[in-house]
Amino acid sequence: MVVLFFVFLTVTWFLLYALPGDSVAQQFAGNPNIPPEARQVALERLGLDKSPLIQFRDYMTDFFRGDLGVSFSQYPRPVIDIIAERLPRTVVLFLTAMVTYYWAGFLAGKYLAWKRGRRGETLITVSGVGLYTVFMPWFALMLIWLFSVQLDLLPLSKFLDPVEWREAPFAANQVFMRMFWVTVTASVVLCAVGWASARAVDRRWGRLLRWGGGVLVIAGFVGYWYGTQPGQAMRVYAGDIAYHLILPVMTLTLVNFAGVMLLTRSSMLDTMREDFILTARAKGLPERVVRDRHAARTALLPVATSLTLAVATVIDGGVITETVFSWPGMGQILVSSVQLEDIPLAVGAFSFIGVLALIGHFVADMLYGLLDPRIRVTEHG
């Protein structure tokens, strides 16, 4: 993974360096008061007067020391500061959307496969495929027109209301990160409750644990924002961000859930033809147990792989969405840094994509062993 990451950074750096144009000239363009001498000083200050190989060596040396350099287009701001400002906004938006449409797609695909041929299957499938193939910018604009312009239910764009935040005692990123960690904690506990309830021997205790635990987790989540001092202080601002999240998350969910639904349905149909499903039914197990513990668990393998690999697109996948909804995140940074030939900022942004992609592949391999007991890593002496 380390070697592959180094190769990725090397190729990315030289591809960006090979782009035609001059980043320094672009910064000075339109300003006739800047003399040619200033351009030479800027080149020396940014290290652009050296040969490409020397620049690459210096950049990589600093990069692996934790110094991502200084942005050319926002000089003298460090790249890491710009990324730290934009990354939480993109992560909160796209992880929320991913969890929503993967959850909806998996449930829909599971029930479509289990009740194949029933009334409504064709309608749901065709509707999902239609949304999946729709032109994303047009669809997003139509939702904005409907819910924001005509119905006046949701905000037009941006990620917060400037009036609400005018005298806010918190920075937006502080609230973003608090929302992220509180939601992640609640989600992990909820998954643990679901896992424990699914393995309960007594069905009544399992049902009680699932519903009771779910209610307690939701009560704890709500209680944090209403019953604790940090939560109460940030509640209004977190609510404003959540209010602005609704429309982009709805758009991404409607467009993307069909792909997960079709993948789950196809995998579930293949799994239902396996011998172990016939054996489970022959044992007299309830249909719900056969569906959820045997068929759905095995069918989850390609879906889990798709989910972990999709995490790599959290940063770069937001170019269109962030542009349509004026959401200032990593997608906009990627576009602007490439257009302005801001190599340190572009490589810094792409490096996060590379790390997420490698982590996604690693997690996918681990999940295969956890979800499918037939897959194990063994040692041979």
Side-chain angles (χ1 to χ4, degrees):
M1 290 175 67
V2 173
V3 173
L4 184 60
F5 182 64
F6 177 78
V7 173
F8 168 77
L9 282 181
T10 302
V11 173
T12 301
W13 193 91
F14 279 103
L15 283 175
L16 292 170
Y17 188 89
L19 290 174
D22 187 338
S23 58
V24 175
Q26 290 190 33
Q27 292 182 63
F28 294 159
N31 191 344
N33 298 321
I34 297 179
E37 294 80 8
R39 182 178 182 278
Q40 183 61 34
V41 172
L43 286 172
E44 294 174 358
R45 186 173 296 174
L46 297 175
L48 298 177
D49 58 329
K50 303 174 183 178
S51 67
L53 291 178
I54 298 299
Q55 291 184 47
F56 173 72
R57 182 202 65 187
D58 294 343
Y59 181 81
M60 286 299 168
T61 301
D62 293 338
F63 183 92
F64 285 102
R65 289 175 179 170
D67 181 8
L68 302 187
V70 177
S71 170
F72 293 169
S73 60
Q74 302 183 40
Y75 187 85
R77 285 192 71 188
V79 170
I80 194 66
D81 289 353
I82 300 173
I83 292 176
E85 178 186 68
R86 298 296 188 99
L87 186 61
R89 305 169 188 174
T90 296
V91 168
V92 169
L93 171 61
F94 284 91
L95 284 186
T96 303
M98 281 178 56
V99 170
T100 304
Y101 68 72
Y102 266 90
W103 174 76
F106 180 73
L107 288 183
K110 179 176 71 172
Y111 284 104
L112 283 178
W114 194 254
K115 299 183 180 297
R116 186 181 182 185
R118 300 289 181 88
R119 183 181 303 174
E121 179 192 11
T122 304
L123 177 62
I124 297 174
T125 304
V126 172
S127 301
V129 173
L131 289 171
Y132 185 69
T133 56
V134 76
F135 185 51
M136 167 73 170
W138 173 85
F139 185 66
L141 290 173
M142 289 300 99
L143 290 181
I144 292 174
W145 174 81
L146 176 62
F147 289 100
S148 300
V149 178
Q150 297 296 318
L151 301 179
D152 195 23
L153 294 176
L154 299 172
L156 277 169
S157 60
K158 301 295 183 183
F159 67 104
L160 50 81
D161 185 352
V163 177
E164 290 281 350
W165 289 76
R166 188 165 46 197
E167 299 180 359
F170 307 102
N173 279 1
Q174 288 180 277
V175 182
F176 267 112
M177 295 310 299
R178 183 64 58 85
M179 292 173 64
F180 175 76
W181 288 116
V182 171
T183 305
V184 166
T185 302
S187 301
V188 169
V189 175
L190 195 61
C191 290
V193 169
W195 180 84
S197 65
R199 281 154 180 76
V201 178
D202 192 320
R203 290 182 58 186
R204 291 176 298 177
W205 281 108
R207 190 180 299 110
L208 179 62
L209 178 62
R210 181 170 64 251
W211 289 104
V215 170
L216 288 177
V217 171
I218 295 173
F221 180 82
V222 175
Y224 174 82
W225 294 109
Y226 284 87
T228 65
Q229 194 277 330
Q232 289 178 340
M234 288 188 175
R235 186 179 70 237
V236 174
Y237 306 105
D240 183 59
I241 292 176
Y243 180 54
H244 284 77
L245 273 172
I246 294 174
L247 195 53
V249 168
M250 181 195 305
T251 304
L252 291 168
T253 300
L254 291 174
V255 170
N256 291 297
F257 95 98
V260 183
M261 177 186 70
L262 295 175
L263 178 62
T264 304
R265 179 178 179 274
S266 175
S267 177
M268 190 87 167
L269 289 174
D270 290 339
T271 302
M272 288 165 59
R273 301 188 186 100
E274 297 286 344
D275 292 339
F276 69 89
I277 298 296
L278 181 62
T279 303
R281 281 174 165 162
K283 289 180 179 179
L285 295 177
E287 288 292 289
R288 182 186 62 84
V289 175
V290 176
R291 182 193 66 202
D292 295 338
R293 294 193 183 183
H294 294 78
R297 180 178 176 180
T298 306
L300 189 60
L301 289 172
V303 180
T305 304
S306 174
L307 173 61
T308 53
L309 299 183
V311 172
T313 67
V314 166
I315 295 178
D316 63 328
V319 174
I320 295 176
T321 306
E322 290 183 1
T323 301
V324 173
F325 290 100
S326 300
W327 191 275
M330 290 295 295
Q332 292 186 357
I333 282 291
L334 279 171
V335 174
S336 63
S337 62
V338 172
Q339 289 176 338
L340 298 174
E341 296 186 54
D342 190 343
I343 295 178
L345 183 56
V347 175
F350 279 117
S351 66
F352 279 86
I353 300 172
V355 169
L356 287 175
L358 291 173
I359 293 175
H361 281 81
F362 180 77
V363 172
D365 290 339
M366 297 300 102
L367 282 177
Y368 261 66
L370 292 174
L371 294 173
D372 192 344
R374 299 171 298 179
I375 301 174
R376 290 290 183 268
V377 178
T378 58
E379 294 182 2
H380 300 281

